[in-house]
Amino acid sequence: QVQLVESGGGSVQAGGSLRLSCAVSGYTYSDYCMGWFRQAPGKDREEVAAIEGDRSTSYADSVKGRFTISHDNAKTTLYLQMNSLKPEDTATYYCVTMGYTYCSGVPLDWGQGTQVTVSS
């Protein structure tokens, strides 16, 4: 059973930084594929960043150059480093798995979410 537990959210001023973490357990895979989604009030959930294997990453245009997705060597913790935060980054951020035998890009498992609030 996959369990994803996010932490690291909080409130910051515009221009600040936060690092989100996601503790991963029970994730058995032949093709590691995970990511971060977010949902702002009144908006649909959107993919923020994804990582496949050890190096392949992708980002939403709105966060490119500001956010970095990574994982530890054991692949038991997923990170999202968020710099130069903007008020429009305010949302609940979710850690997701997106594949077991191949990277489908479709979220399969979700964490409970962590709130990020950026004030101007």
Side-chain angles (χ1 to χ4, degrees):
Q1 181 179 351
V2 176
Q3 191 169 19
L4 307 173
V5 180
E6 301 99 334
S7 60
S11 298
V12 295
Q13 290 193 323
S17 298
L18 284 173
R19 188 173 83 155
L20 305 184
S21 298
C22 173
V24 183
S25 61
Y27 180 31
T28 303
Y29 51 85
S30 57
D31 188 359
Y32 180 92
C33 186
M34 295 195 67
W36 291 92
F37 275 62
R38 68 185 180 186
Q39 185 169 25
K43 295 188 176 181
D44 293 334
R45 285 179 177 175
E46 63 171 342
E47 182 176 327
V48 175
I51 184 166
E52 181 178 0
D54 289 323
R55 296 186 182 85
S56 178
T57 58
S58 62
Y59 299 92
D61 287 343
S62 59
V63 306
K64 277 181 183 175
R66 300 188 298 122
F67 290 12
T68 303
I69 188 171
S70 63
H71 58 69
D72 64 348
N73 289 337
K75 296 179 180 174
T76 57
T77 307
L78 181 71
Y79 301 103
L80 185 68
Q81 177 66 44
M82 306 186 295
N83 299 328
S84 302
L85 283 161
K86 304 176 180 180
E88 51 263 44
D89 295 318
T90 295
T92 301
Y93 285 72
Y94 298 90
C95 172
V96 302
T97 63
M98 291 194 286
Y100 298 129
T101 58
Y102 69 98
C103 197
S104 69
V106 176
L108 300 176
D109 307 287
W110 295 78
Q112 83 286 354
T114 187
Q115 179 66 37
V116 171
T117 303
V118 185
S119 58
S120 58

